[in-house]
Amino acid sequence: MTFESLGLHPSIIKALAESGYTEPTSVQAQAIPAGIEGRDMMVSSQTGSGKTAAFMLPALHKFAIQSDEQPAGGKTPNQEMQSSRSRGERPRFKAAQPKMLVLTPTRELALQVTTSTDKYGAFNRRVKAVSILGGMPYPKQMQLLSRNPEILVATPGRLIDHMESGKIDFSQLQILVLDEADRMLDMGFIDDIEKIVAATPEGRQTMLFSATLDGMVGNMAKRITRDPLIIQIAGSASKHENIQQRVHFVDDLSHKNRMLDHLLRDETMDQAVVFTATKRDADTIADRLNIAGFAAAALHGDMHQGARNRTLDGLRRGNIRVLVATDVAARGIDVPGITHVVNYDLPKFPEDYVHRIGRTGRAGRNGIAVSLVNHAEGMNVKRIERFTKQLIPVSVIEGFEPKRSASAPRSNKPGGWKPGDNRGGNKTSQRTFSKPGSAPRNEGSGFGKGPRTGSGTGNPAGAPRRSFGER
Ligand code: AMP
């Protein structure tokens, strides 16, 4: 799927291309067409799923079309004040009349949303977005409001102040977004939200995003939306208890390749899916693995449907033991023989991590999901941990130790460091998954000449797992 096929305005398509976005995430693929249609929505998705663009792109699309249809001109409240001054009249402050309001729980998120909006709206200069936040100097906020921005991104408390002092008038509001609604309720903003919603027109479009749609947030969502489309994106609900996840830190590409070779020689491996970031890498790695004697094949979007079908068929029949794939191509693969998933590259979106590891552990079996991570990518692991609300233990294989240890202290939240976690590069048993006396296949092949000190791949059974619920 492409952004063009979602029917977005050309100025937005251009901005997305400049941002390096090639395809919509799944929340975007579902929410953008509904958003363009003007539907209300209740969406359960989290940071990392691409939710900001999911609500902002349809809104920007709408405003771009409106500004195409309207001639340029019209004065901002600021300009009107100046011209009344020049006419010798006493200037009257005119309230800002935004077309869209995004409510967020925190200042940081509001700023993030505004920055993303500027990026997506870079080619539509007639649409302005500003954030109104607690802690920002009052004169600065007045100056921002005097520009009469189309889009206002605000935390509830400060917004109420401006509403009550007549600085904002919501009579022209078309779109209301509640971002991270569950967090806003946790932070006690319910009364403020109710008050703000009551000040907006009945006919508005409402989009609510939240990690969960249960309980109080679900009740509120139902009250403020009309016939909403409900979108649920895989997240923390998929704990994948039957899949052993772990991270192996690698120093460089050659270390990574040796590690991959070692992992694929694991005796307990029946079939594996290796995920790469690009189609080219999928081809290159599949070729290299074939030369090394593995029955490997690539699967990606540049392949003709016939070739894809043949590859999937080979995988199902067990003729292909290692599939090297990109995210999109591997979605939905359901082959019970897949015992291992290897993230040769980490996914771009945490949500894709969940889809990837779900390729193993099918049909009630157990699976292993290993991520090969450069030290510089630690933040990406944290994003995944925050999304899945699980820690991914770090494991070190004897003979494949990274030169740099990853033993910084961690906090007690998934996505942070804490002393005592099994993230400190602890050595873990190498033999958990190996069969005694097993000989590695393809000994002496050109691919991966690293030491072989055992065919096990870590300590899946012994590594601690934590979730928010267990804290
Ligand atoms: P969000 O969930 O909105 O916080 O977005 C998470 C990250 O993904 C942000 O850094 C976005 O810039 C990025 N992002 C969102 N949509 C896409 C996309 N379709 N392609 C690439 N990156 C994206």
Side-chain angles (χ1 to χ4, degrees), residues 37-81:
E37 256 177 51
R39 273 198 80 170
D40 281 6
M41 287 176 228
M42 288 165 59
V43 185
S44 101
S45 74
Q46 306 184 0
T47 301
S49 58
K51 67 183 166 62
T52 313
F55 61 75
M56 207 40 99
L57 298 185
L60 287 172
H61 167 87
K62 202 169 187 175
F63 301 147
I65 288 181
Q66 288 171 6
S67 63
D68 284 350
E69 286 165 359
Q70 276 164 17
K75 285 180 183 156
T76 65
N78 200 15
Q79 287 164 335
E80 278 189 14
M81 274 197 336

Side-chain angles (χ1 to χ4, degrees), residues 79-146:
Q79 287 164 335
E80 278 189 14
M81 274 197 336
Q82 275 165 3
S83 45
S84 58
R85 238 188 232 121
S86 64
R87 287 195 301 270
E89 295 164 8
R90 195 158 162 254
R92 240 174 7 100
F93 181 87
K94 195 157 177 255
Q97 294 186 317
K99 293 180 180 172
M100 177 183 197
L101 171 65
V102 182
L103 287 177
T104 71
T106 62
R107 288 192 249 171
E108 292 70 27
L109 183 59
L111 288 171
Q112 215 172 295
V113 170
T114 313
T115 309
S116 300
T117 308
D118 289 344
K119 186 161 78 172
Y120 306 143
F123 296 99
N124 193 344
R125 298 244 165 77
R126 285 165 73 182
V127 178
K128 296 174 290 298
V130 305
S131 16
I132 294 296
L133 316 165
M136 189 189 266
Y138 205 72
K140 170 83 187 155
Q141 299 196 348
M142 294 307 295
Q143 189 209 339
L144 291 175
L145 288 175
S146 72

Side-chain angles (χ1 to χ4, degrees), residues 9 102 105 168 264:
H9 190 273
V102 182
I168 301 172
L264 296 179

Side-chain angles (χ1 to χ4, degrees), residues 3 21 23 25 28 46-52 119 348-349:
F3 284 108
Y21 294 10
E23 62 211 352
T25 66
Q28 291 163 5
Q46 306 184 0
T47 301
S49 58
K51 67 183 166 62
T52 313
K119 186 161 78 172
K348 207 166 0 162
F349 305 109

Side-chain angles (χ1 to χ4, degrees), residues 306-326:
R308 285 210 229 180
N309 291 346
R310 276 194 298 281
T311 302
L312 284 173
D313 211 40
L315 188 72
R316 259 179 235 115
R317 289 168 191 270
N319 303 335
I320 293 171
R321 293 196 57 236
V322 182
L323 185 76
V324 190
T326 56

